[in-house]
Amino acid sequence: MAEEKPPQLVDYFVVAGLTDSSKALEEESQQPRPARPSEPITDVAVVIRSQGEDVPQGFTCIENSTSGHPADLNASLLSSPQTYLCYKRGRGKPPLIELGVHCEGKDRLKPGYEIIRTTPYSRSANLSSGAASHQRTFLTYRRAAESQGHNTLGITDICLVVPSKGENTPHTFCRVDRNLNAGMWGPAVFLCYKMAMSKANTLVYEAGLLSRYPEQDSESFPLPDSVPVFCLPMGATIESWPVNTKYQLPVFSTFVLTGASGDKVYGAAIQFHEAYPRERLSEKQSLRLGLLSVVDRRPITSKSVQTRRSICVLSHWPLFDVFRKFLMFIYRYSISGPHVLPLETHISHFMHNVPFPSPQRPRILVQMSPYDNLLLCQPVSSPLPLSGASFLTLLQNLGPENAVTLLLAVLTEQKLLIHSLRPDVLTSVSEALVSMIFPLRWQCPYIPLCPLTLADVLCAPVPFIVGIHSSYFDLHDPPRDVICVDLDTNTIFLSEERKLLSPRSLPRRPCKVLLAALRAHFQQLDEMYNKPVEEASLEFLLTDYDLVYGRRKQLELEIQASFLRFMACVLKGYRSFLLPITQAPCDTTHDSSSLFFLQGFLKSRDRAYHKFYGQLLRTQLFTQFIQECSFVSDRHACLEFFDTCVEKVQVDLEKAEDAPLMELDDSHGSEHTVFIMPPEEPLGPDGAELPALYCYDSFPVLRSELFERSQDQLAALLCQPKSSAPSSPAPRRTKQEMKVAQRVAQKYSSMPDMWARCLLGHCYGLWFIYLPTYVRAAPSKVRALQTAYEVLKQMESRKVVLPDEVCYRSLMQLCGQYGEPVLSVRVLLEMKRAGIVPNTVTYGYYNKAVLESKWPSGTQGGRLRWAKLRNVVLGTAQFRQPLRQRQLESEAHGSTLPVIKALGVLEPGSDSFVALPPGLRQLLDGPGSSEDGSLSDLSFQTDESDRPALDSAEVQLSLGPGARGSKPGRRDENQNSLGGTPRRGLAAKLQQLLSPAKRPSLRHTASVEQPSTRWDAGSLRRASEQTEPPPRKSPVESLLHPHERPDSTASESSVSLGSEFDLSDTSLGSFSLRKSSDPLPEALAGPELPPVEIRLSSCSRCQACGSLVHDEEVMAGWTPDDSNLNTSCPFCARPFVPLLSIEIQDFQQPPSPSESPQSRGEQPPAARGPVLSDRSQCLALDEAEPQPGDPPSLCNGCVDSSGPRGPAPRSELVTFAYLSPLVLRKELESLLENEGSEFLAQPELVDSHPIIYWNLVWYFQRLGLPSNLLQLVLASQHVRPTPQVQPLEAPPVCVRLLWDVLTPDPNSCPPLYVLWRIHRNSAARLQSWRHPSSPFSLAFLEAVLSHVGLGEMHKAIALFLQTLAVEPSPPPLQRSIYREILFLMLAALGRDHVSIAAFDKKYKAAYAKVASSLGKEEVTRRRAQPPSSKAIDCRRSFGATLEC
């Protein structure tokens, strides 16, 4: 399969900054209010005016509060001192960055804070000096570091508020939550301050594009023109700094661009300053920057000129940590040097040669230089969508209460404006806000980092989530209907016009659990981060922080899991209110009211929370969520994971469940790692190193000739070995279903009956994974789908354990693909009848099937009239049945049913025939036999389009529990078809629509689509069983008199024929893959064998103890691990890998014109024996001595068809691992993922993946499930090529499933059943068995059978043990005593006369009796123990359909 290009990690590399065409932003903006103060606050002081203190020079006193009330800090009593607060602006010191209130003896002083203990006049600055309390209270402040005096956050304004006077904290101000009025009387006074960038002499311009790579736009994603503006949201600046100012660390920021289709593109950028040449400045710019003196315009040399630039990468993946490391490496590379390689080489190397991590290779280690590396990790099984959210940042900046308030605002779709002075925080918090409402998805405008030039979006009349820099409010007032969230001050400003619901409107208990969890996580955050984020150094960012990453990631998941649990409680039980589409679609089908029972869901909630749920149900969030749940979407894995979370949570609990909803990703511990080495440095002509020529004064303009060219082939080789299969994902399990299947298998592995059903469920899952291939190759798609529906019903009747919904989902998808919506509805009803609630994936494919398919006409008039006419015709035919019955009785020995007579299926006039339904008796006689042209000959001539329902005449005959043959069409003596399949009329189609519960027989429909006829050597026996046998002796009498052979029985006939006895469990139905009206295979008309015969056996030998472990024992020993190939030996308990043995006999011979009798026009004589009903002739032929030179013969005079016919057949014996259904399913899904579902129909499957192929053949044949796999072996290396045979005329393949080994051990003693056949001369394949001196004589065999027949099983076991004990050197026995006696019983009496369940019960009781006398350990050592209950349940569930 052709390899696709892997996903690209980085799409573009962009350099943004000041260009020649950049426009000045401050000149264009019309400021509605005065500009912010240009100087920050550097000092604060306390003055006591009642003691004669004046405001110091340069200080400003705060006389009044924000609304004009007196701002006295001690206004409690008249005798209290009048204390006021003063502040001073300037640039001589670093600005203040935080204020606080400290109480001695109560608070611990925070690091970096200073206390204002005295006034400027050396008096005590105690704010509580006039209060009765002896506790002293002082103001505190924290100052910026000396190296960060410029371009850093600082306090730019201070105010006092009195809440009792109706004053609130001003917008963008931070309030100190400590009352400054420490007295018992008077109003409370609070200190508020505002943070802003304390910059001076700055010119702001609109950012432009300086350079980019690649220079050409991609067809799928062209570079947006607005990227430079997002890289520098505050604009490209020109600033003047003091000469001794240190460079600020690069500022990392992120942004998200949302396309028209809703897809997101993530940007990561770093902003840095670099020198700007003074020569490029105009005189006006120099004056504004303070670079020229005002009077004489002389240059001021004590200042330097800087400009702000940005480098950015754009990607579809929010790997912000990786991009930050890469950008920091590029930035440091540009300011260091010189280097041998140019900067462009490292950029192109990272973009072209570093692929996006895939599930096959989740770790990619990129070595950028000898000292710099980065690790890309993709979660292998992440159930949540990938995003750039940081719940740590959200909780750290907002706190628990505000986080819950914003959760309510997002759920009710409010207008949210998030602002901060730190651009790297806005995107992380905004992404967390839209991620906390998972599984809901924000549908309205979303701009996490909005540039100042695009701030007009705040006037949009729709809900939005917008993040913007706080400096926006220095120029504009906030919109009146917007909820403003200040991340710097941890405050939320609610608008007056649009009130928000109270958090009390949320469900109480889930909200209480959420708040408790957030408070606990917030306490951990406070302990983890005890210093501000802005103080982190560059060295910390570039060091290895794996341990810190692990703690952060775990805490991140715990916070996200808290929000996830809340959403699961809020939407608990929503799936039961989904309304499936059960009728033809109309205009309102996609409406949420048609897809979801809104009123029912609302009534199921507590009335106290109806207001919240009412708003939630009306949002676009919920409407889109219902549509995603109802139809196929790209979020099915996420929604399925949410459904599992809904099942885990309990709404009424006061605390969270113990089981975590989310687990830490283990991709860092994966062994799959791809190493990407740095670009190689070129060497000179003589092998010497080239000189370092590349050194940069500033970040350069990228040169296209220095970039490396793309290496797509290398990237494809490193990332993905093969593309995903193009087939539909419906037959595949989701990752969540795989996890559930593992848990179910682990649970049921200790429960014998459930373990067998679990294995059986995975076997049916294998067939439904193969179903699309089977239907694609079927000539009649509808009948193939009906066959699958019958398989589904049979699967439910056997009460299998289905760990997933692949069986239903696969059939639903195929119904939609081939236009059968009615059948898809039936499948959904079967799911509900089985008690299975479809998950999101299954439900989506169901609605897609019924929505996109063409429905039958909705008019009922014509259908009803045709139904009435059909009833009249059927009623008339019922009155004619007595006449037809007498006619059939008169033709009992005629030639109307020669084939049925030959097979002994039914004799006309027999009781079975009379008991048949009238429609089936009419089918036996065939159409056109009536001579009077009555209504029974009437047929509707219509089109032959296939429909699921079949006419009653097409239903296969039900011949009782022991019947297995299917009724052929009416034929003459030359085997020419006279009747064929009756044509279905329009009445049958209408009956299907009017009677949807009427379905065709499973055996009939299962046989329709099989191209090759499946038949085995036991088919003749199964046909003969249907003849009514004469009276016979009981099995007990035959055991007492072994030399007197009982009367003719079908079971003994099968044994004497030499076809190894069939252990079919007739209580469990199996599929007959041959259509009832198809021509009979030649094997039923004569002794010819099929061109290819395949024998399979799962009986495996334990390498430790040498015992043979049979199929059900192998199944019982498997483990629930889907990667473990071992089973455990029931005798020595040691693990070993079981083997599936396959013997392929190819009877096809190349045509020989000189020797072929057909070339001379002669027909080879058919070696026919007497019919099975002729008992005397059968016995006579059996007792006749074979003459020398005669071909080997079976009983009844039939020649051994397995012997050589002309040239010797080509025989091949191969063995492969016998896989558990769990292991096989995992391997099959991996094969389909890499090769596609079409590979299952290609002959290469047999040779390239033989283990998967032969295991599938084994399970499908074991359960009788139809498939086209057998035809693939004809084109494999195991069979001679036959170019003269066309594909449509491919010969049939005979398959036989054996219970015992294919090739016996020559050194072992033959088993008892083989000795019985040797003594009776009734075995066909005994040449491979040697005949050593065996301690078991014919008398011993007869004695064992007699004891068993008389109910003395313990005597049979004791006789066996005694016979072995008297032998001086007993031969090695590979089978247990249980297996020896069971096989002997089946060989002597036949399967129909042996109840294996009753045998197991008797043997278990006999074993207990023998063990009590000889000792359990001794009996177990001698292998006399019965099979385990798990093995017996496996045999009962799968059915004993094996031969021996």
Side-chain angles (χ1 to χ4, degrees):
M1 186 174 296
E3 296 181 353
E4 296 180 357
K5 185 178 179 180
Q8 191 170 357
L9 181 64
V10 177
D11 295 294
Y12 293 99
F13 183 90
V14 174
V15 182
L18 183 66
T19 62
D20 296 336
S21 59
S22 296
K23 300 178 181 179
L25 296 180
E26 293 186 351
E27 293 179 357
E28 296 178 354
S29 60
Q30 297 179 358
Q31 303 173 1
R33 59 181 177 178
R36 63 180 182 271
S38 59
E39 295 180 343
I41 295 176
T42 57
D43 291 290
V44 291
V46 176
V47 295
I48 306 176
R49 287 191 173 182
S50 61
Q51 296 184 7
E53 295 184 358
D54 296 331
V55 178
Q57 185 178 1
F59 279 75
T60 302
C61 181
I62 304 177
E63 303 280 352
N64 300 313
S65 64
T66 55
S67 60
H69 297 280
D72 186 2
L73 302 182
N74 280 327
S76 56
L77 296 175
L78 295 177
S79 60
S80 299
Q82 299 179 1
T83 306
Y84 288 87
L85 183 65
C86 304
Y87 63 87
K88 180 182 180 181
R89 300 180 184 273
R91 293 192 175 274
K93 300 179 182 180
L96 302 181
I97 57 176
E98 197 164 357
L99 295 176
V101 178
H102 176 73
C103 297
E104 283 190 350
K106 183 178 180 180
D107 300 333
R108 178 181 298 178
L109 186 64
K110 296 181 181 180
Y113 278 75
E114 297 183 14
I115 301 177
I116 305 176
R117 295 187 178 274
T118 60
T119 66
Y121 300 94
S122 302
R123 292 186 177 90
S124 175
N126 180 18
L127 301 181
S128 59
S129 59
S133 174
H134 297 287
Q135 189 177 40
R136 301 200 304 171
T137 305
F138 299 97
L139 284 177
T140 61
Y141 65 88
R142 187 163 64 95
R143 193 181 301 276
E146 291 288 342
S147 60
Q148 298 181 354
H150 291 266
N151 298 330
T152 185
L153 291 175
I155 297 177
T156 58
D157 203 356
I158 298 177
C159 69
L160 297 175
V161 294
V162 183
S164 61
K165 303 296 183 179
E167 298 176 355
N168 295 321
T169 304
H171 190 228
T172 70
F173 275 69
C174 180
R175 190 176 84 168
V176 180
D177 289 329
R178 184 66 64 88
N179 185 10
L180 298 180
N181 185 5
M184 298 180 60
W185 310 99
V189 180
F190 291 93
L191 174 64
C192 300
Y193 61 90
K194 180 180 180 180
M195 299 283 291
M197 297 297 290
S198 57
K199 297 189 301 182
N201 302 325
T202 301
L203 301 178
V204 183
Y205 296 88
E206 182 178 357
L209 181 65
L210 296 178
S211 56
R212 52 173 283 188
Y213 180 77
E215 296 181 352
Q216 293 78 22
D217 286 343
S218 172
E219 296 182 0
S220 58
F221 172 51
L223 180 66
D225 297 334
S226 59
V227 168
V229 179
F230 284 92
C231 294
L232 293 170
M234 297 188 62
T237 60
I238 303 177
E239 307 170 14
S240 61
W241 295 357
V243 176
N244 57 353
T245 303
K246 295 182 180 180
Y247 276 94
Q248 186 186 11
L249 290 176
V251 178
F252 179 72
S253 64
T254 57
F255 56 90
V256 180
L257 303 178
T258 306
S261 59
D263 55 333
K264 293 182 179 180
V265 177
Y266 299 92
I270 60 171
Q271 305 171 23
F272 55 90
H273 290 84
E274 61 184 19
Y276 189 81
R278 289 196 178 196
E279 299 79 23
R280 300 182 60 181
L281 296 175
S282 62
E283 183 179 354
K284 182 178 180 181
Q285 290 174 328
S286 299
L287 285 173
R288 295 187 60 184
L289 292 174
L291 301 177
L292 297 177
S293 60
V294 179
V295 180
D296 52 1
R297 307 296 175 93
R298 289 184 303 174
I300 300 176
T301 58
S302 62
K303 292 185 178 181
S304 63
V305 183
Q306 307 292 328
T307 184
R308 184 164 53 184
R309 283 190 177 184
S310 174
I311 55 176
C312 166
V313 292
L314 291 181
S315 173
H316 286 80
W317 316 103
L319 304 177
F320 293 142
D321 291 336
V322 172
F323 298 149
R324 180 181 59 184
K325 284 189 174 183
F326 170 69
L327 293 174
M328 292 298 296
F329 166 75
I330 294 297
Y331 170 70
R332 289 191 301 107
Y333 195 89
S334 66
I335 61 177
S336 61
H339 306 284
V340 177
L341 293 176
L343 187 67
E344 290 83 352
T345 301
H346 289 276
I347 296 175
S348 58
H349 176 76
F350 184 82
M351 295 183 63
H352 295 318
N353 298 334
V354 179
F356 180 75
S358 65
Q360 290 82 10
R361 292 165 177 83
R363 290 167 53 98
I364 298 179
L365 181 62
V366 183
Q367 194 74 29
M368 296 179 293
S369 73
Y371 309 101
D372 300 277
N373 60 64
L374 57 86
L375 185 65
L376 283 81
C377 297
Q378 162 68 23
V380 178
S381 58
S382 177
L384 298 180
L386 207 60
S387 70
S390 175
F391 289 89
L392 294 178
T393 307
L394 170 74
L395 190 59
Q396 192 176 14
N397 287 273
L398 291 175
E401 289 76 13
N402 286 342
V404 173
T405 301
L406 288 186
L407 173 64
L408 176 61
V410 176
L411 287 176
T412 54
E413 287 187 348
Q414 305 295 325
K415 294 182 178 181
L416 287 180
L417 176 59
I418 307 167
H419 59 90
S420 174
L421 296 170
R422 298 162 292 168
D424 57 328
V425 175
L426 289 174
T427 301
S428 300
V429 174
S430 300
E431 285 281 279
L433 287 179
V434 297
S435 299
M436 69 167 60
I437 62 173
F438 175 84
L440 306 182
R441 187 162 57 173
W442 185 260
Q443 301 295 317
C444 301
Y446 171 66
I447 309 176
L449 181 59
C450 181
L452 295 177
T453 56
L454 302 179
D456 293 340
V457 70
L458 300 179
C459 301
V462 295
F464 55 76
I465 297 179
V466 173
I468 200 168
H469 199 275
S470 295
S471 59
Y472 168 83
F473 300 104
D474 295 334
L475 305 175
H476 303 278
D477 290 325
R480 301 181 61 85
D481 59 345
V482 172
I483 299 175
C484 296
V485 182
D486 192 346
L487 299 180
D488 300 324
T489 61
N490 189 14
T491 53
I492 299 178
F493 299 90
L494 301 178
S495 62
E496 297 292 336
E497 298 183 358
R498 195 169 186 177
K499 291 293 184 180
L500 181 64
L501 290 177
S502 171
R504 294 183 178 181
S505 61
L506 295 173
R508 185 182 66 85
R509 290 181 178 176
C511 185
K512 181 179 179 181
V513 175
L514 174 63
L515 274 174
L518 293 181
R519 286 169 182 151
H521 299 323
F522 186 71
Q523 182 66 26
Q524 298 180 28
L525 275 176
D526 191 34
E527 297 174 358
M528 185 183 302
Y529 301 99
N530 53 6
K531 60 181 180 179
V533 179
E534 60 265 22
E535 289 188 2
S537 62
L538 179 61
E539 289 76 11
F540 172 76
L541 297 176
L542 299 177
T543 54
D544 188 12
Y545 59 98
D546 288 342
L547 296 178
V548 178
Y549 173 82
R551 288 187 61 193
R552 286 173 54 92
K553 191 63 177 177
Q554 182 64 40
L555 192 57
E556 181 88 13
L557 287 180
E558 291 177 358
I559 299 174
Q560 190 174 10
S562 301
F563 288 106
L564 178 61
R565 184 193 181 277
F566 175 80
M567 293 301 302
C569 293
V570 168
L571 299 177
K572 179 81 172 178
Y574 79 96
R575 295 206 66 86
S576 59
F577 297 95
L578 291 172
L579 302 177
I581 303 174
T582 56
Q583 298 179 354
C586 57
D587 296 338
T588 60
T589 300
H590 289 82
D591 296 345
S592 59
S593 58
S594 302
L595 300 174
F596 190 79
F597 187 23
L598 296 173
Q599 292 300 321
F601 179 77
L602 187 60
K603 291 180 180 178
S604 65
R605 310 292 136 170
D606 194 337
R607 293 183 59 87
Y609 314 122
H610 276 197
K611 189 172 184 180
F612 161 71
Y613 278 105
Q615 291 194 20
L616 176 63
L617 297 183
R618 291 192 297 269
T619 60
Q620 301 180 51
L621 293 169
F622 192 79
T623 301
Q624 181 67 21
F625 171 68
I626 293 302
Q627 292 182 357
E628 290 174 347
C629 293
S630 302
F631 303 103
V632 179
S633 68
D634 55 351
R635 301 181 71 229
H636 62 82
C638 303
L639 298 178
E640 183 188 15
F641 167 73
F642 178 74
D643 290 341
T644 60
C645 296
V646 170
E647 296 175 359
K648 292 179 182 179
V649 300
Q650 299 181 22
V651 182
D652 298 333
L653 294 182
E654 295 288 343
K655 62 178 182 179
E657 294 78 9
D658 296 333
L661 298 182
M662 300 179 61
E663 298 178 357
L664 184 62
D665 175 36
D666 57 351
S667 61
H668 279 70
S670 174
E671 297 180 359
H672 302 282
T673 303
V674 176
F675 294 92
I676 305 295
M677 301 305 295
E680 298 182 359
E681 296 182 356
L683 300 177
D686 54 351
E689 296 183 358
L690 295 179
L693 301 177
Y694 296 97
C695 185
Y696 309 98
D697 297 330
S698 61
F699 199 89
V701 177
L702 303 180
R703 297 164 55 186
S704 58
E705 65 272 11
L706 297 179
F707 286 103
E708 289 183 350
R709 293 295 169 248
S710 175
Q711 301 179 9
D712 293 339
Q713 295 180 354
L714 176 61
L717 179 63
L718 290 174
C719 178
Q720 283 182 301
K722 279 190 177 178
S723 62
S724 298
S727 58
S728 170
R732 307 178 197 167
R733 292 180 295 176
T734 61
K735 295 179 180 179
Q736 194 64 29
E737 286 178 329
M738 293 180 184
K739 294 181 180 179
V740 173
Q742 279 291 304
R743 290 196 295 264
V744 171
Q746 189 70 34
K747 175 183 177 182
Y748 290 151
S749 61
S750 59
M751 305 168 62
D753 55 337
M754 302 306 295
W755 174 247
R757 297 180 185 179
C758 181
L759 294 179
L760 192 61
H762 281 279
C763 290
Y764 278 104
L766 289 170
W767 187 79
F768 277 94
I769 292 177
Y770 172 77
L771 181 60
T773 304
Y774 173 71
V775 175
R776 191 161 46 245
S780 175
K781 313 298 182 185
V782 178
R783 291 195 176 184
L785 294 177
Q786 186 66 23
T787 299
Y789 178 69
E790 295 294 337
V791 173
L792 205 64
K793 292 177 58 181
Q794 186 204 50
M795 177 184 66
E796 296 170 355
S797 65
R798 301 179 74 167
K799 298 180 180 180
V800 302
V801 175
L802 291 179
D804 50 66
E805 303 173 11
V806 170
C807 301
Y808 299 97
R809 186 161 65 241
S810 176
L811 184 53
M812 286 178 179
Q813 188 214 16
L814 292 174
C815 290
Q817 183 177 351
Y818 295 105
E820 289 298 322
V822 178
L823 185 58
S824 184
V825 175
R826 293 182 184 177
V827 175
L828 180 65
L829 296 179
E830 290 293 335
M831 286 191 70
K832 294 184 177 180
R833 191 177 294 112
I836 302 176
V837 179
N839 59 20
T840 302
V841 187
T842 306
Y843 193 76
Y845 276 104
Y846 163 76
N847 278 334
K848 180 180 179 181
V850 300
L851 186 66
E852 298 179 358
S853 302
K854 183 178 181 181
W855 282 71
S857 176
T859 58
Q860 301 291 332
R863 296 174 57 186
L864 293 177
R865 286 192 291 270
W866 277 109
K868 292 180 181 180
L869 178 60
R870 179 185 181 278
N871 292 336
V872 172
V873 174
L874 292 179
T876 306
Q878 290 290 334
F879 281 107
R880 289 184 52 81
Q881 291 310 315
L883 298 177
R884 304 292 298 169
Q885 179 180 349
R886 287 195 294 271
Q887 180 181 358
L888 292 175
E889 291 176 354
S890 62
E891 299 176 354
H893 301 285
S895 60
T896 56
L897 296 173
V899 177
I900 296 180
K901 289 182 183 180
L903 292 178
V905 177
L906 283 178
E907 290 290 344
S910 63
D911 295 338
S912 300
F913 189 90
V914 175
L916 288 177
L920 301 183
R921 290 199 298 270
Q922 178 182 355
L923 177 62
L924 287 177
D925 187 70
S929 60
S930 177
E931 299 177 357
D932 53 358
S934 62
L935 285 175
S936 61
D937 299 332
L938 178 62
S939 64
F940 296 97
Q941 304 295 333
T942 62
D943 61 332
E944 290 299 320
S945 61
D946 296 307
R947 288 289 143 193
L950 301 177
D951 200 337
S952 60
E954 294 180 288
V955 182
Q956 184 185 2
L957 301 181
S958 176
L959 302 177
R964 289 186 177 271
S966 57
K967 177 185 178 298
R970 183 168 178 261
R971 303 172 186 278
D972 57 10
E973 289 80 354
N974 296 326
Q975 298 295 315
N976 295 324
S977 176
L978 297 179
T981 303
R983 291 170 296 185
R984 296 183 300 108
L986 181 59
K989 301 179 181 179
L990 296 177
Q991 177 66 15
Q992 171 233 336
L993 297 176
L994 294 176
S995 304
K998 184 176 181 180
R999 303 177 180 91
S1001 172
L1002 177 58
R1003 300 187 178 190
H1004 175 81
T1005 54
S1007 63
V1008 170
E1009 303 302 336
Q1010 183 68 9
S1012 63
T1013 304
R1014 174 179 176 260
W1015 53 280
D1016 51 26
S1019 57
L1020 186 60
R1021 176 193 62 82
R1022 292 196 296 270
S1024 64
E1025 289 176 358
Q1026 299 168 9
T1027 305
E1028 183 178 356
R1032 67 191 71 176
K1033 296 181 181 180
S1034 66
V1036 177
E1037 294 177 357
S1038 64
L1039 290 175
L1040 296 176
H1041 306 282
H1043 292 287
E1044 298 178 8
R1045 304 183 68 176
D1047 292 342
S1048 177
T1049 61
S1051 60
E1052 183 174 348
S1053 299
S1054 64
V1055 175
S1056 62
L1057 275 173
S1059 61
E1060 284 72 359
F1061 57 83
D1062 187 357
L1063 305 185
S1064 303
D1065 187 358
T1066 55
S1067 64
L1068 297 175
S1070 62
F1071 288 98
S1072 175
L1073 303 184
R1074 180 172 54 82
K1075 188 175 178 180
S1076 59
S1077 59
D1078 287 345
L1080 287 175
E1082 295 298 332
L1084 299 184
E1088 294 293 333
L1089 284 182
V1092 178
E1093 182 181 77
I1094 301 176
R1095 294 187 178 96
L1096 296 95
S1097 173
S1098 62
C1099 183
S1100 304
R1101 182 175 179 270
C1102 175
Q1103 301 298 326
C1105 63
S1107 303
L1108 289 180
V1109 183
H1110 293 79
D1111 188 65
E1112 61 270 26
E1113 296 167 333
V1114 173
M1115 293 182 178
W1118 275 326
T1119 64
D1121 185 6
D1122 59 1
S1123 300
N1124 190 355
L1125 275 64
N1126 291 325
T1127 186
S1128 60
C1129 177
F1131 305 102
C1132 65
R1134 295 184 180 179
F1136 72 98
V1137 178
L1139 299 178
L1140 188 64
S1141 303
I1142 304 101
E1143 182 182 1
I1144 306 170
Q1145 291 188 353
D1146 183 10
F1147 296 102
Q1148 298 181 108
Q1149 301 294 338
S1152 178
S1154 59
E1155 298 179 2
S1156 176
Q1158 287 84 349
S1159 61
R1160 299 190 300 267
E1162 301 176 3
Q1163 294 294 333
R1168 296 180 179 271
V1171 295
L1172 300 180
S1173 58
D1174 194 346
R1175 176 63 183 164
S1176 59
Q1177 190 174 358
C1178 288
L1179 294 178
L1181 290 174
D1182 286 344
E1183 297 173 358
E1185 294 292 335
Q1187 299 297 327
D1190 291 346
S1193 62
L1194 306 176
C1195 79
N1196 301 346
C1198 291
V1199 180
D1200 184 7
S1201 60
S1202 63
R1205 297 178 301 167
R1210 175 183 175 183
S1211 180
E1212 182 181 2
L1213 181 64
V1214 293
T1215 57
F1216 299 103
Y1218 181 29
L1219 301 183
S1220 162
L1222 284 76
V1223 179
L1224 179 58
R1225 187 167 187 180
K1226 180 180 179 182
E1227 296 299 323
L1228 180 61
E1229 290 171 342
S1230 177
L1231 175 66
L1232 296 181
E1233 181 74 19
N1234 296 327
E1235 302 289 349
S1237 62
E1238 293 82 1
F1239 189 73
L1240 295 180
Q1242 298 176 4
E1244 292 81 4
L1245 176 66
V1246 184
D1247 300 329
S1248 58
H1249 300 278
I1251 298 179
I1252 296 178
Y1253 172 78
W1254 289 114
N1255 277 272
L1256 288 177
V1257 170
W1258 168 266
Y1259 284 118
F1260 291 173
Q1261 295 292 325
R1262 181 74 191 270
L1263 297 177
L1265 299 174
S1267 71
N1268 303 320
L1269 293 176
L1270 291 177
Q1271 291 303 310
L1272 302 182
V1273 77
L1274 298 176
S1276 67
Q1277 61 183 0
H1278 304 291
V1279 180
R1280 297 185 182 94
T1282 53
Q1284 74 278 8
V1285 179
Q1286 299 298 327
L1288 296 179
E1289 300 175 358
V1293 178
C1294 174
V1295 178
R1296 298 175 62 180
L1297 308 182
L1298 304 185
W1299 205 345
D1300 208 5
V1301 292
L1302 286 178
T1303 56
D1305 186 1
N1307 299 322
S1308 65
C1309 178
L1312 298 187
Y1313 78 93
V1314 173
L1315 294 176
W1316 173 266
R1317 292 180 177 176
I1318 292 176
H1319 289 302
R1320 307 303 294 178
N1321 291 327
S1322 61
R1325 293 190 305 111
L1326 299 180
Q1327 294 81 5
S1328 59
W1329 289 94
R1330 295 184 178 181
H1331 307 305
S1333 57
S1334 174
F1336 308 116
S1337 62
L1338 178 61
F1340 169 82
L1341 301 179
E1342 294 172 351
V1344 171
L1345 292 174
S1346 299
H1347 287 314
V1348 176
L1350 294 175
E1352 299 172 342
M1353 182 73 71
H1354 62 284
K1355 293 184 179 181
I1357 300 176
L1359 178 61
F1360 197 103
L1361 295 175
Q1362 182 180 2
T1363 304
L1364 291 177
V1366 298
E1367 289 290 324
S1369 58
L1373 296 180
Q1374 296 179 320
R1375 297 162 187 81
S1376 64
I1377 297 178
Y1378 166 86
R1379 195 72 55 179
E1380 293 279 8
I1381 298 178
L1382 175 62
F1383 285 1
L1384 177 61
M1385 291 288 297
L1386 294 173
L1389 299 182
R1391 173 66 184 87
D1392 292 340
H1393 298 285
V1394 177
S1395 174
I1396 299 182
F1399 179 85
D1400 291 338
K1401 184 178 181 181
K1402 293 179 181 179
Y1403 190 90
K1404 186 176 181 180
Y1407 168 76
K1409 184 179 296 185
V1410 174
S1412 62
S1413 59
L1414 299 181
K1416 187 174 182 181
E1417 294 182 359
E1418 177 64 20
V1419 176
T1420 303
R1421 184 184 66 83
R1422 302 174 70 173
R1423 300 179 185 175
Q1425 71 271 22
S1428 63
S1429 58
K1430 184 183 289 188
I1432 293 176
D1433 285 321
C1434 289
R1435 183 176 60 197
R1436 183 185 301 114
S1437 297
F1438 280 81
T1441 58
L1442 305 180
E1443 304 175 10
C1444 186

